[in-house]
Amino acid sequence: MTATHSLGWIGMGRMGFPMAERLLKAGHKVAIWNRTRAKAEPLAANGGRIADRLDELAACDIVFSMVSTGNDLEQIYFGPNGLLAGSGRRPKILVDCSSIGVDESEAIASRLKEIGCAFVRAPVSGNGKCVKAGKLSSVVSGPKDAFETIAPYLKVIAASGISYVGEGELARICKIAHNVMLGVVFQNLLEITILAQKAGVPRHAFLDFMNASVMGSVFTKYKSNALVNLDWTTTFTAPLLRKDLDLGLQAARELGVAMPITATAREALQAHIGAAYLQGDPAGYLAKDFATLLESVARNAGMTLAPENVPTPTGLETEG
């Protein structure tokens, strides 16, 4: 695909790296900045131009970002050494793929409007493996004309599909709702898996049945290997999931929506995070994948888990 706009990318975490990599592999020239330069340097082999300073990306037409928090995004845009700190050129469109709160996003959008930058909110669904397998999706809101401009590039990243839902912060609401469902569904999946195991059903056999049924999904399938073999390789952490459940409950309070199931799932997650301090290395344990929640559910059932060592497909075969 031939690029018609100059592109910039900010953020080389578990998601940002493979997302930017897809643009490069599709033939686009991308200027890349990351706080730790070494994390971005491998993409130079794919044609990425590694920037030493954020303001080097200000000359790009479109700049994507994928960071952890709203505060991170604010500093990257408006901080003393941020993208927009200088008085020179500005990107025409800023596209943020992060998961941040509605209030944070609104404040950032207001500041960007004052300086004439269009702001597209494009949070994504999936993890790094989904990106590589071409199964990432995105929900988008913001100015319609800006969306239409960035859509060809976003489709490269979110190959499974992009959904435009309207103006303003509507994509943030959709992403928060999405991650609330993730937390609730996953908590229930863990509970029924332990229920079946305590009755004598191996985890791999139960999850195989669930994934083949109408209740199975892409999500339950790709998390099954972790649950069967206790593979806690990080895709998403429990503290980040707690942040998203808190955002969902905050939105529910503001909009007057009762969400008792979400509140219960949030408390189960908090109990898991609290129990991590009994592990002796809470920071290390909580940096593992949120699938470690299975251990808390098992412990509450009086069980100690062991890997079943059964090869379990995830359905996320990487694209060639």
Side-chain angles (χ1 to χ4, degrees), residues 202-265:
R203 293 192 302 278
H204 73 270
F206 175 71
L207 290 167
D208 181 65
F209 159 66
M210 287 297 298
N211 291 330
S213 78
V214 295
M215 299 304 296
S217 67
V218 173
F219 172 69
T220 64
K221 187 170 184 178
Y222 85 65
K223 294 308 290 186
S224 290
N225 180 67
L227 303 184
V228 169
N229 298 310
L230 309 188
D231 179 358
W232 308 143
T233 301
T234 306
T235 63
F236 193 54
T237 67
L240 287 176
L241 180 57
R242 178 177 62 181
K243 178 200 76 171
D244 289 344
L245 292 184
D246 285 342
L247 288 173
L249 290 168
Q250 177 185 342
R253 287 191 294 271
E254 293 171 355
L255 294 170
V257 177
M259 296 177 65
I261 306 302
T262 302
T264 300

Side-chain angles (χ1 to χ4, degrees), residues 98-100 123-126 139 171-187 219 222 236-237 240-248 259 262 265 269 290:
S98 316
S99 294
I100 67 173
V124 297
S125 171
V139 60
R172 303 293 191 195
I173 291 291
C174 289
K175 175 60 175 178
I176 289 168
H178 169 282
N179 279 18
V180 165
M181 183 174 180
L182 181 151
V184 169
V185 167
F186 196 54
Q187 178 66 30
F219 172 69
Y222 85 65
F236 193 54
T237 67
L240 287 176
L241 180 57
R242 178 177 62 181
K243 178 200 76 171
D244 289 344
L245 292 184
D246 285 342
L247 288 173
M259 296 177 65
T262 302
L269 179 59
F290 72 111

Side-chain angles (χ1 to χ4, degrees), residues 139-163:
V139 60
V140 190
S141 64
K144 185 67 178 291
D145 57 346
F147 163 69
E148 290 173 347
T149 299
I150 66 98
Y153 308 106
L154 190 57
K155 286 178 181 176
V156 173
I157 300 164
S160 187
I162 56 177
S163 302

